[in-house]
Amino acid sequence: MKRVFAFIGFTSAITLFVLNFIDYSYSTLILGVCIAGLVISLLVKRLRQAKVLPTVFGSAVFACLIFITVMSANVLPQKALDGETVYCEYQIVSPLEKTDGGMYGYTVKTSRIQQNMAPQNIRVKLYSREEPEADCYDYITGNITFYSVSDTSFNSHVSYGDGIYLRGYAGVQKYTENARKPINYYLIRLRESLVEKVGESVRGDDEAALACSIFLADREFLSDEVTDSFRISGMSHLLAVSGIHVAIIYFAVRALLFPLNKKKYVKEISAGVIVFGYIAMIGFPKSAVRAGIMILIMLAAKILNRRADTLNSLGLACFVLCLNPFAVTDPSAIMTVSAILGLVCIYPNLTVKSLSENAVTNYIQKTVFAFVSVVLATLPALWLFFGRVSLAGVLANFIAIPLTQVALISIPLTLVFGGAYIPFGAISALSLKGLLRLADFIAENFSSLYFDIDDFYFGVMLAAAIAFAGICIIVVKKPSPRLVTGICIIIIIMSFAFSYAQNYGAVTVTLTQDGAVIVDDGTSVKAIDASSRRDDYLIEKLGRERADCEEISIDGNFNLTVYNYVFEISDDYVTIGNTKVPRDINGKFSQECDYVFTVKENREIIARRVENG
């Protein structure tokens, strides 16, 4: 069987995605179905010899067991602490972050929780009014009031993927110095010293803050204006170190190691060690780890003189990530995997011979085909997490990604050589300034260039297009790739029109990441507790052609009625039926996404988490 790791990895990822999406009580039922499928595929000789179905069902069983084990052993016991105030001993294991509400946020690991049957050695996202006096990995004792992060992994905004299922508020704390620091402590200190050096070496406050964000994964110094511009322009994915950043750094390191070209093993291993040291230094973000796994597979193939199969490598990377059953709910992971699948599976079937031998024309054609392939492959993720296809983001990224490449190569060279080579500093400053100017320009002039796909019916028709493509591949021996792709595109275009017709007359209630509640009924806009620049942008976008916009400030509880549905709004939560979403009014919670409720008369409310980016 070819591409065995592709079958294992993608099956595990899809199974875990479904398990995270449905209620936990159904997980044992799905496990039973998968076990039955595995047994049948092993008993039937023809299926057993083909190996595909046993591999698929075996991978699904493995994924179910991982999910159920982690939920029963870690998540559910920790959720029992929700609302409890308990005396604990713990250590800070991450740098401090300051919230918009003036509180300090940091990740801690407990060593003792003084309550019967309480889980021990857990990670908690902790908040406090006062800045902790303790250094990282010092011992701290005091009361913690625990709160559940979220009901599901999808609503936790990757906290579950980081192994954090509880938030907490610190009471009075007592500190004890720890003389024996782990290696992570020195990695954090190295990162902090590099942040200081970047601030000294890169010209301009915003440029230095952007350099720290894209190179060192430290977003503390980014201003609200810069962050909002990148979000509105569709460039926010560049602010976090991701697979793109790691790939750029890896190929730059290989280029700098050109003196070792004749010593292939030494060059490849050295490049791998440097890149993985970089990933460790920035704190092992999942998107960087995912890219690191792909690089490791590629390096192994080169050392063994074999050509790495992209789908097999991607499947193996997915399988390794699936050892954490909540990693599949990370929008960045899903978008990255989908984009690679589009380039591998769709792009070759769309490319045609160039009508011109001109290199520029060829480049433009290939770029357009690559863009179409990525959009088609990522549409399910865009529908699920973002609810829109942003043309502004596409326009921006054609220029932003090359600028990011230049910045990522010139920033470390500036740090190494300092003032000895002025061009490196000038190049990094120009590329960073270009990114800032581009984000501002796109946000101010092209922010309205997008298509809304935030609709249940669009998702159904999108699923129909995917099912049609799958059936053609399975049933028809040699389907025409262009014909299948063309029909899928027609179905998707029709779904845009159908979605628009279905949403006509609907009211949207948006809970922004900053805690504002914005209500749009198609004729007027009502904004509750709008405070940030991004809230103002959303109101302006909705109210540009509306007769008025009513702004309301509340203190305490407030009930909002839309088509006989009651939204209960408090300082901390918005509650509608069984859905309860945290607000950030008091700086207690930190969410990086919006929640959009689509309400139609005599229809079930559709609630969707919409990521920003």
Side-chain angles (χ1 to χ4, degrees), residues 26 37 75 275 399 418 456 458 524 551 560 587:
Y26 293 104
V75 180
V275 170
I399 305 172
F456 173 78
F458 181 87
S524 63
E551 296 195 37
L560 174 70

Side-chain angles (χ1 to χ4, degrees), residues 198 202-203 206-212 214 230 403 407-408 410-411 426-438:
V198 167
V202 178
R203 308 168 190 172
D206 285 339
E207 288 82 355
L210 182 58
C212 291
I214 66 174
F230 272 77
L403 285 174
L408 283 173
S410 59
I411 290 169
I427 291 171
S428 63
L430 285 173
S431 58
L432 293 165
K433 188 179 291 294
L435 283 170
L436 292 168
R437 295 285 177 84
L438 177 65

Side-chain angles (χ1 to χ4, degrees), residues 2 37 91 209 251 266 292 295 375 461 485 498 557 559 572:
K2 295 182 178 179
Q91 295 175 311
F251 287 112
V266 176
I295 289 171
V375 169
M461 298 192 74
T485 303
F498 186 72
N557 297 328
N559 287 344
D572 298 332

Side-chain angles (χ1 to χ4, degrees), residues 71-203:
M71 285 292 293
S72 58
N74 295 335
V75 180
L76 297 180
Q78 290 188 39
K79 281 181 173 291
L81 291 171
D82 186 17
E84 299 286 336
T85 300
V86 187
Y87 187 80
C88 304
E89 181 180 284
Y90 53 93
Q91 295 175 311
I92 300 175
V93 295
S94 74
L96 298 181
E97 302 171 359
K98 197 165 185 180
T99 69
D100 292 336
M103 299 185 74
Y104 293 90
Y106 41 94
T107 302
V108 304
K109 185 174 183 180
T110 65
S111 54
R112 180 167 59 94
I113 299 178
Q114 197 168 324
Q115 186 183 75
N116 290 334
M117 305 300 292
Q120 305 295 322
N121 300 316
I122 65 175
R123 292 167 63 87
V124 180
K125 183 70 174 183
L126 203 61
Y127 295 88
S128 61
R129 289 289 179 190
E130 302 295 330
E131 182 177 0
E133 299 177 5
D135 197 0
C136 285
Y137 293 97
D138 283 345
Y139 295 107
I140 306 173
T141 55
N143 286 333
I144 296 179
T145 302
F146 293 101
Y147 292 92
S148 176
V149 167
S150 175
D151 295 333
T152 66
S153 176
F154 273 101
N155 291 335
S156 74
H157 193 71
V158 308
S159 287
Y160 274 40
D162 293 332
I164 298 174
Y165 316 120
L166 291 171
R167 290 190 177 109
Y169 306 119
V172 177
Q173 301 170 321
K174 182 180 178 181
Y175 311 105
T176 304
E177 185 177 354
N178 178 17
R180 301 178 62 182
K181 308 283 190 182
I183 190 171
N184 287 350
Y185 171 82
Y186 300 100
L187 290 174
I188 291 173
R189 289 290 168 260
L190 173 62
R191 180 183 173 192
E192 291 177 347
S193 64
L194 288 175
V195 168
E196 291 181 5
K197 193 168 183 180
V198 167
E200 296 170 357
S201 304
V202 178
R203 308 168 190 172

Side-chain angles (χ1 to χ4, degrees), residues 202-492:
V202 178
R203 308 168 190 172
D205 292 340
D206 285 339
E207 288 82 355
L210 182 58
C212 291
S213 178
I214 66 174
F215 180 60
L216 298 172
D218 189 325
R219 301 175 63 171
E220 179 182 358
F221 303 103
L222 286 174
S223 65
D224 292 340
E225 290 75 13
V226 170
T227 303
D228 290 340
S229 293
F230 272 77
R231 282 174 179 154
I232 295 167
S233 64
M235 295 166 51
S236 64
H237 63 97
L238 297 176
L239 294 178
V241 175
S242 63
I244 295 175
H245 302 68
V246 174
I248 292 170
I249 290 172
Y250 167 71
F251 287 112
V253 169
R254 288 188 76 251
L256 291 173
L257 294 176
F258 69 90
L260 300 175
N261 282 342
K262 294 183 179 180
K263 299 179 180 180
K264 182 178 65 174
Y265 296 162
V266 176
K267 178 180 177 180
E268 299 299 345
I269 292 173
S270 299
V273 169
I274 292 172
V275 170
F276 275 88
Y278 167 73
I279 293 173
M281 187 263 296
I282 62 176
F284 293 104
K286 288 191 293 299
S287 54
V289 171
R290 183 171 57 250
I293 293 171
M294 290 287 292
I295 289 171
L296 180 62
I297 294 169
M298 185 171 63
L299 286 177
K302 285 186 177 181
I303 292 173
L304 296 173
N305 289 318
R306 294 183 179 180
R307 184 176 179 181
D309 182 271
T310 305
L311 283 177
N312 235 6
S313 301
L314 186 61
L316 180 56
C318 286
F319 175 74
V320 173
L321 290 173
C322 284
L323 296 177
N324 175 352
F326 307 117
V328 296
T329 62
D330 182 355
S332 173
I334 295 175
M335 289 290 291
T336 300
V337 172
S338 300
I340 295 175
L341 285 174
L343 292 174
V344 173
C345 301
I346 300 176
Y347 175 73
N349 296 317
L350 290 181
T351 51
V352 294
K353 292 183 178 180
S354 175
L355 298 177
S356 169
E357 295 182 356
N358 185 284
V360 175
T361 304
N362 286 334
Y363 173 78
I364 293 174
Q365 287 180 334
K366 290 179 180 179
T367 302
V368 171
F369 285 130
F371 162 68
V372 172
S373 302
V374 169
V375 169
L376 288 174
T378 57
L379 264 179
L382 291 170
W383 171 78
L384 180 64
F385 293 110
F386 298 91
R388 67 178 54 176
V389 178
S390 173
L391 295 182
V394 173
L395 292 172
N397 283 295
F398 271 120
I399 305 172
I401 291 178
L403 285 174
T404 303
Q405 291 175 331
V406 173
L408 283 173
I409 295 171
S410 59
I411 290 169
L413 293 175
T414 302
L415 294 177
V416 172
F417 296 108
Y421 293 87
I422 300 299
F424 293 139
I427 291 171
S428 63
L430 285 173
S431 58
L432 293 165
K433 188 179 291 294
L435 283 170
L436 292 168
R437 295 285 177 84
L438 177 65
D440 286 337
F441 178 76
I442 296 292
E444 291 174 2
N445 297 281
F446 300 101
S447 60
S448 59
L449 291 180
Y450 63 85
F451 292 108
D452 274 324
I453 57 174
D454 185 18
D455 181 75
F456 173 78
Y457 300 100
F458 181 87
V460 170
M461 298 192 74
L462 183 60
I466 296 172
F468 170 77
I471 292 171
C472 287
I473 293 172
I474 294 172
V475 176
V476 183
K477 291 184 177 180
K478 293 183 178 180
S480 169
R482 293 180 188 172
L483 178 61
V484 173
T485 303
I487 293 175
C488 288
I489 291 174
I490 292 172
I491 294 174
I492 291 171

